[in-house]
Every structure is written in structure tokens, then in C-alpha cells.
Amino acid sequence: MVFDARSSSGSRSRRDATRPSAGRRPRTGATETSESPTATEAVEPDEAPVTLRLDGKVALVTGAGSPDGIGYATARRLRDIGARVAIVSTTRRIHERAAELGVTGFVADLTDEAEVGALADAITDQLGDVEVLVNNAGLASRASPEVLRPVAQLTYDEWKAEIDRNLSTAFLCSRAFQGAMAEGGWGRIVNLAATAGAINALPTEAAYAAAKAGVVGLTRALAMELVADGVNVNCVAPGTIYTAASTVTEIKQGLGTPIGRPGTPDEVAAAIAFLCSPAASYITGQMLVVDGGNSVREAEFR
């Protein structure tokens, strides 16, 4: 089935994207009973058995249009551990990726609030409520190329485009899907940050660094908002990862890491899949860096 949010966003969505359901379950506490819980009861986790499997759970991976990218590798890994996977990108090539993976593909501009709402309705109709969300969208494209310019030369429109592509997409998707997770009492949201912004920065990449640092802040705030509802929110911060889009400069940077090579999309996907799993039940609000040790070394190795 081909779905394009652009053709649906003009009609009224059943979901009001500006007023998402909080879905908060009432806490159980001492105020409801005069009896205090035993020590065993107090620490008993309300969580599924520890497992790396996601059998039957509906997972959405954004930004999965490239067959060589992190989104595609993540969708493949989540499929392999049992999830019912949906993938989305801004172009119809997503349907080719969906056919290759045996998953469901959707087309939507995730910087557009109405299209995100239409997407949420379409996925719910076809697959059910999303329980696992991977906010990977954010790569530049021909229609929206990356801007590399010092702040003094950066236009406001260029700044906004970078923020929208790398931060607003995560906000809009998280807002659209977190309500159903909270109502169901279980969920995982994993955002794609980067070492740029949260750990380091490069000249000419101020907007990108600001957006990715913002992803970390969004992750931590959302984790605290949803922790009582069984929804864990974390982010993964890749360093230099080798893809078909890697430049010679980026490859050289990867060769200069302590491990001595760039990372691969599959290695990032493995970290994401762990954070999506029931096994990560006691991890929330965290940033997992996947950069070959590059961010922790004190000096260049000789």
C-alpha cells in the first residue's frame, strides 16, 4: 500500500497534532493505602522479562530512504528481532526500501506538522499503535542541502532549515506517538543525536551542532516526562560513520579514531536496537556515544 502524507494532510486528521494525549497512568503510592509495601514489592519492576526481542511490537524508523544509511540498517535489525516495522522518508524511494526489507513504507515530510499527524493515523490504521520510535531523520538532501557556513554568513532561513531537519522532526514525531505508548504502559523512543554539538563542534556547522545538542536536551526532558508511564527515551550519538555519502575528509577522520576506522551503520543500529529492547528497561534519559573512542582520548595516538 502506498501512502503519501502530502495527499492526506489536507483532510482533517483524527489526531490533533497540537494537543496530543498525555496518556499518563495514575501512580500507585502510599497515599492509596495505609499499608507500606515490603522491600521486595517496592523494587519489583513493572516490566516485561529482560530480552532483546521485540516480537509483535510496532516500530517506526524515520529517515530510512538510503540503503546504505543508519535508518535502513536499524529497520533491518528491528525486523530481525521480531518487530513489525514501518519506515518513512520524504521521497517515494522509501517503497523500494520497504520492499527490500519486507516492511511497510510511508512518504511524509516530517518537518510538516500536518503530515506527521496524517502519518500517525495511517500507521495506526495499518499496523496498530507505534510502541518503538527511532527518530533518525535529519540528513541533508538535494532538495534541502547541508549548509556549511560560519555563523556570520549564515542566513536565518538556513539556520531554521537545519534546526527543522535535525531537531523539529524528532519533536513532532515524539509528540505524535508518545501518547499511545504512555496509554499502553510501554514504549521506547531513541533519538539520533551526534558527537557534534553534544561533545564537540566544527567550524561552519553551528546550526547542525545546535540542533543535535537540542536533540540531547529533548531526549532528557521527554525521558523525565514519560518515565512514570513505562516509556524510556534515550539517544545515540554517532561519530564518523562510513556510508555511501561519506566524503574523503570524513573517511580520513574515521581512520584517525583510536579504533582506526570509521564506524558502520550496522554498528550504530546495534546500539539503537538494544535501547529499543526490553533489556534496556533501566536506561532512560541517556546518550550512548558510538564513535570508536574518539571523544574520550586525550591526545592523538603516535
Side-chain angles (χ1 to χ4, degrees):
M1 189 262 189
V2 174
F3 172 81
D4 189 333
R6 294 177 182 82
S7 63
S8 305
S9 57
S11 60
R12 184 183 177 189
S13 169
R14 295 193 305 276
R15 227 178 263 265
D16 184 349
T18 65
R19 298 178 64 84
S21 170
R24 183 167 293 277
R25 296 177 297 153
R27 290 178 182 263
T28 56
T31 56
E32 299 177 4
T33 176
S34 59
E35 298 179 2
S36 298
T38 65
T40 302
E41 292 171 338
V43 299
E44 186 71 22
D46 182 19
E47 183 65 55
V50 174
T51 175
L52 293 171
R53 300 287 302 176
L54 287 170
D55 294 303
K57 294 195 179 297
V58 177
L60 171 62
V61 181
T62 71
S66 169
D68 304 305
I70 292 171
Y72 187 88
T74 299
R76 179 173 58 218
R77 187 169 287 266
L78 296 183
R79 178 207 64 187
D80 290 348
I81 59 176
R84 299 168 61 211
V85 178
I87 56 177
V88 60
S89 77
T90 57
T91 66
R92 295 178 66 85
R93 69 174 179 170
I94 196 67
H95 299 300
E96 298 174 17
R97 305 289 85 80
E100 293 162 3
L101 292 170
V103 301
T104 307
F106 298 86
V107 179
D109 178 357
L110 301 182
T111 66
D112 185 300
E113 185 177 20
E115 290 195 23
V116 173
L119 171 69
D121 284 339
I123 294 176
T124 301
D125 287 345
Q126 291 190 45
L127 299 176
D129 289 332
V130 170
E131 298 160 282
V132 175
L133 171 64
V134 179
N135 283 313
N136 173 69
L139 286 178
S141 66
R142 289 181 181 178
S144 183
E146 184 178 14
V147 176
L148 299 176
R149 232 192 304 278
V151 170
Q153 300 172 16
L154 196 65
T155 70
Y156 187 43
D157 285 342
E158 290 169 341
W159 168 270
K160 288 193 295 182
E162 203 71 31
I163 297 297
D164 282 347
R165 181 168 54 224
N166 289 287
L167 178 57
S168 297
T169 51
F171 161 71
L172 290 172
C173 288
S174 295
R175 191 181 64 172
F177 293 103
Q178 60 88 21
M181 294 182 193
E183 289 170 2
W186 193 94
R188 297 287 187 265
I189 299 174
V190 179
N191 297 319
L192 264 290
T195 52
I199 295 174
N200 53 42
L202 292 171
T204 76
E205 293 189 0
Y208 177 80
K212 288 302 186 181
V215 168
V216 178
L218 173 65
T219 297
R220 291 172 176 162
L222 194 56
M224 294 301 95
E225 291 179 9
L226 297 176
V227 67
D229 299 312
V231 180
N232 293 21
V233 187
N234 294 287
C235 62
V236 171
T240 303
I241 306 300
Y242 179 76
T243 69
S246 296
T247 65
V248 173
T249 299
E250 290 170 338
I251 294 172
K252 288 181 178 179
Q253 289 172 346
L255 295 174
T257 64
I259 283 184
R261 61 171 176 82
T264 68
D266 280 331
E267 288 172 320
V268 180
I272 294 169
F274 167 68
L275 291 174
C276 289
S277 75
S281 56
Y282 202 57
I283 304 172
T284 196
Q286 303 303 310
M287 178 178 70
L288 176 56
V289 177
V290 183
D291 73 343
N294 201 48
S295 59
V296 299
R297 68 178 175 184
E298 187 171 340
E300 295 287 337
F301 286 87
R302 299 298 184 209

